Amino acid sequence: MNTIEAIILGIVQGLTEFLPVSSSGHLVMAQSLLGIEPDGGIVFEVAVHVATLVAILLFYFKRVSGLTIGAFTGDGDSWRYIGKLAVATLPAIGIALTLRGFIEQQFGTPWVAGVMLLVTGCIVWTTRKTITKGTAEEPTWAHALIIGCAQAFAILPGITRSGTTLATAMALGMAPLAAAEFSFLMGVIAMAGAAVLLLPELTSASPEMLASIWAGGAAALVSGLLALVAFVWLLKSKRFHVFAWYAWAAGASFLIWLSLA
């Protein structure tokens, strides 16, 4: 994989990480359509996910800094919210530790991404009704765990993490913007954990692989910030569910392409 290919994949990752269309699924499809073989397998995918993690921290800087200061000063509300984020992260960590080989296999099976995009469309479509009903500004402890299970399911390529966790949170009664904030901040912990698990592999990476990771990461960071702005606008305009049609079209088109290739 050369630098240009890494940048293309980084842009795909950044634009699709926050929009409800599955960044992992689009990475698999882009690699298949363009004939790109990422160096290091899943390491590149995790690396560009970490770049979008940085985008989340920048976008929610005020909230993150407030929680951090609150934690150090012993603020009960901050510690409660952080605790719920931690609880919501447990299912994804458990899946990542126990099923890593299975997950990597799914990333190497293109048709899985196509089928899961069809599932993503169904998940996103459910928000057309729940987006106007929720009022809660944070989940209960039980709801945080349920949202975490939704995030664990979204590890599969083609299942949108942002859309699945947001749809689940709103179905449980959370207000759209509050649900989005919780969804993205819980993703920070999961992505940071994945990065830590892959540190040994990164330290032994070749200079060429590291160059690809840096190029893809920079592209993912910039495009991710733009996608975050678009994501919040979609929630405010109550148009979030329209991405279901895109997910269905993309998944079906990719599966047809695979059958004819």
Side-chain angles (χ1 to χ4, degrees), residues 182-202:
F182 188 82
S183 168
F184 290 136
L185 292 183
M186 67 186 272
V188 166
I189 302 175
M191 286 185 275
V196 170
L197 290 176
L198 289 173
L199 275 178
E201 295 182 38
L202 287 175

Side-chain angles (χ1 to χ4, degrees), residues 149-167:
C149 290
Q151 176 172 251
F153 176 55
I155 290 178
L156 290 172
I159 297 296
T160 167
R161 196 202 70 82
S162 62
T164 301
T165 54
L166 184 77

Side-chain angles (χ1 to χ4, degrees), residues 108-120:
T109 311
W111 66 264
V112 172
V115 172
M116 290 300 103
L117 270 172
L118 300 180
V119 177
T120 277

Side-chain angles (χ1 to χ4, degrees), residues 14 30-31 55 67 87 100 123 152 165 189 226 261:
Q31 291 162 17
L67 287 172
V87 166
R100 178 176 173 178
I123 293 171
T165 54
I189 302 175
L226 295 174

Side-chain angles (χ1 to χ4, degrees), residues 122-217:
C122 296
I123 293 171
V124 173
W125 187 250
T126 66
T127 65
R128 73 192 189 281
K129 293 184 178 180
T130 58
I131 198 169
T132 59
K133 296 180 178 180
T135 57
E137 290 302 312
E138 68 177 75
T140 65
W141 289 94
H143 288 172
L145 183 60
I146 294 172
I147 297 169
C149 290
Q151 176 172 251
F153 176 55
I155 290 178
L156 290 172
I159 297 296
T160 167
R161 196 202 70 82
S162 62
T164 301
T165 54
L166 184 77
T168 302
M170 290 195 297
L172 293 171
M174 287 191 69
L177 293 181
E181 180 181 88
F182 188 82
S183 168
F184 290 136
L185 292 183
M186 67 186 272
V188 166
I189 302 175
M191 286 185 275
V196 170
L197 290 176
L198 289 173
L199 275 178
E201 295 182 38
L202 287 175
T203 56
S204 60
S206 67
E208 293 78 12
M209 178 181 172
L210 289 175
S212 296
I213 288 174
W214 279 109

Side-chain angles (χ1 to χ4, degrees), residues 19 131 230-240 242-243:
L19 300 178
I131 198 169
F231 185 96
V232 172
W233 177 81
L234 282 167
L235 285 178
K236 290 179 178 179
S237 63
K238 306 296 188 294
R239 298 178 182 177
F240 193 78
V242 300
F243 275 96

